[in-house]
Each structure stands twice: as structure tokens, then as C-alpha cells.
Amino acid sequence: MSTSTPQQMTVEAIRSVTLFASLPDQEAEELVTLLQNRLVPAGAVIFRAGAEGDAMYLIQSGRVRIAVDDADGQQIILAELAQGDFFGEMSLIDGKQR
């Protein structure tokens, strides 16, 4: 298990996310101060369907698989995301559970 500390996200990294690409400098710098870095081990579950949506996630490095289980318990992969992608924003926008 790695004990690495994740690097602080930079304004350039924020701008690599399409959602924030056109933010003016001051707003991008302010957003950076609001972010919390989190190192997630490979294979870890970040959240499950039905959980309260209290955050969105920006991928600084690595990959994230978005998946659900079908009625037979088989995993269905909905998306594979990588650096510059984001997820979890819908529950912040609509106030519904994930």
C-alpha cells in the first residue's frame, strides 16, 4: 500500500477539465483552494449508487471505472474515465442520491 501524498491540483490541471476550462484566473485560483486531494487505492469503491451526493471528483491521474450491478449481480461498466475527466457532479446539481 502506498503512502504517497497526492499532489495539490494546479490551475493548469483545473483548466484541463472541460467544465472549468474557461474560468478566469481569479476564479480558477479560488477553486484550487477549495479542493481536497485524495489518493484512492486501485480497486477501491469511491461511492455507491444511492449514496448522498456531497462531492464531485476531478481525476488528476489514474483511471476510474463507473459501474453498476445488473439484476443478476453482473457488473456493467458504464464508463472509464482518466486524467481531466470528472464525475459525481449530477447529485450536486439535482440534489438527488447518486
Side-chain angles (χ1 to χ4, degrees), residues 52-92:
E52 291 296 320
D54 59 354
M56 72 176 280
Y57 298 86
L58 310 176
I59 303 171
Q60 187 170 359
S61 65
R63 301 187 68 75
V64 172
R65 180 178 292 147
I66 307 295
V68 296
D69 291 338
D70 67 13
D72 296 325
Q74 298 295 316
Q75 187 178 73
I76 299 171
I77 298 171
L78 303 176
E80 295 237 2
L81 308 174
Q83 181 178 354
D85 290 329
F86 59 92
F87 62 100
E89 76 285 357
M90 286 309 299
S91 61
L92 294 178

Side-chain angles (χ1 to χ4, degrees), residues 2-3 15 17 20 23 30 32 39 41 47 53 57 60 66-67 71-72 75 81 83 86 93 96:
S2 173
T3 58
R15 289 220 172 93
V17 177
F20 304 120
L23 276 180
E30 185 175 335
V32 166
L39 184 62
F47 59 77
Y57 298 86
Q60 187 170 359
I66 307 295
D72 296 325
Q75 187 178 73
L81 308 174
Q83 181 178 354
F86 59 92
I93 293 168
K96 296 180 182 176

